[in-house]
Amino acid sequence: MARSGAHRPPAVERLLAAARPLLAGEQEHAAIVAAAQAVIAAERARLADGTDPRELAALATELADDLAAFADPLGSGLVGVINATGVILHTNLGRAAWPAVAIQAAAAAAAGYSLLELDRASGRRGARFRAAEEHLIALTGAEDALIANNNAAAVALAVGLAGRGGGVVVSRGELVEIGGGVRIPEIIRRAGARLIEVGTTNRTRVADFEEALAGGRGRVVLRVHPSNFVISGFTESPDPVAVATLAHRHGSLVIDDLGSGALLPTERYGLVHEPMPNERLAAGADLVTFSGDKLLGGPQAGLVVGRAGLIARLRRDPLARAVRPDKTTLAALGATLGLYRAGLAEAQVPVWQMIAADPGALRARAELVLAGLPAAIQARTSVEPMDSTVGGGSLPGETLPSYGVAVRAGSAARRLAELRHGKPCVVARIADGAVLFDLRTVRAAEDGALGEAIAHPSAG
Ligand SMILES: *Cc1c(COP(=O)(O)O)cnc(C)c1O
């Protein structure tokens, strides 16, 4: 919607000239030019969204602030966001916040040396820090556990057990795209194995696996939890115990990719039951894989639990080294899993705090945000019920009853863009022409800043 050159951002040279007096002496010329180009590109985007042009002086100050941020100890360049979308595991916003103990554990691991791979008794090289894996063994009843960088890596590693060219049997109803264009058939191919499809999109039976497993064709049965879509209607999926029994009779392995997985029962919170790793092990899976940063609510990681002999084989695979998590991840994951063992997950893991949040309390917070708005905006804002989702490729179609504020003033798309460019940056959503701010995913400590941003969307 660029308005035919009526408003254009300044040229790089002009912006640089205006900013020169504000800059510290030693900054690299290339960095200054790149930052100026970024400021101009952002201004161009704002103008395209219909925002009024900003003064050259304001742009120059923004440029100087951006450059100063390079030397700021908290200035990683990653922009913090108030998530008012109501999507708890928002993949584009970095999924969930970590529990406080996980942040402290990661900071401590990052700050210095640790006995990461040194055996205290012998003083020799030992197994890599095992606390997180030991928690997983205790929480799932598995014989052993292994941690990879993310669940996609965990699946690739596990599927490798089929061997070069070995058959991996998957129901046609489970050949899913995980997200970001990553597809299960490609992961299998990339692992050097061969996909054997069975059944149909909507119906797969135990008998469909029989032929694929006969004569050792299928070395692995991979079951993929359809975590980001629902098939309904004329559907049928095979009994997991029967499939596992059949696979084992043919000497094949069963790997269950749960995607999110859950270590707390989701039905306790009014959601449909999300499969739990211990249930799948009990139903005959040899290995179960799931994510560290979906419903588990910790750092990005891929968790594999299951039979000790198979985990030992995965550990020896050179790919395991390539997808190995770093010490801060291991520390944060260990701390997060420790909360589950202590029975403190609902109280201290942000994902579960958000899932468990009481709609009445969210409504009360929304009333306070509304009451703090200037009269002119208040008149066009209301507290309304809305539906939050868990997101992050889990519990598709499931919603949690929530409350927030709805603003009906001017162009909703333009307000959304202004909020994204504000300080703090706020991400919200639009429904029926209104901008909705769902308080379930906003931390109570952010309510004041959210109100400010609603009142003055492009401040900062
Ligand atoms: C999300 C998901 C993955 C990938 O997990 P990451 O930890 O994001 O790599 C794999 N399989 C399924 C079924 C998923 O839902």
Side-chain angles (χ1 to χ4, degrees), residues 91 95 148-155 174 176-179 182 184 187 223-229 257-261 274 289-294 299-303 392-394:
T91 299
R95 295 196 180 149
N149 230 332
N150 56 29
N151 187 36
V155 174
E174 298 182 355
V176 308
E177 176 168 313
I178 296 167
V182 178
I184 290 294
I187 292 180
R223 290 191 297 221
V224 184
H225 181 56
S227 47
N228 52 11
F229 66 100
D257 171 22
L258 293 189
S260 177
E274 179 77 13
T289 75
F290 56 112
S291 267
D293 60 346
K294 289 185 178 172
Q300 177 187 303
L303 285 45
S394 61

Side-chain angles (χ1 to χ4, degrees), residues 130 133 144-163 191 220 222 253-256 286-290 302-325:
R130 288 270 297 163
E133 287 162 356
D144 202 354
L146 171 75
I147 297 168
N149 230 332
N150 56 29
N151 187 36
V155 174
L157 194 57
V159 159
L161 290 172
V220 165
L222 174 66
L253 302 173
V254 176
I255 299 172
D256 251 322
D286 297 292
L287 293 176
V288 174
T289 75
F290 56 112
L303 285 45
V304 191
V305 295
R307 282 175 37 203
L310 300 175
I311 299 268
R313 276 170 64 192
L314 298 185
R315 225 174 241 125
R316 287 196 298 271
D317 187 328
L319 183 63
R321 171 59 188 252
V323 299
R324 184 175 89 169

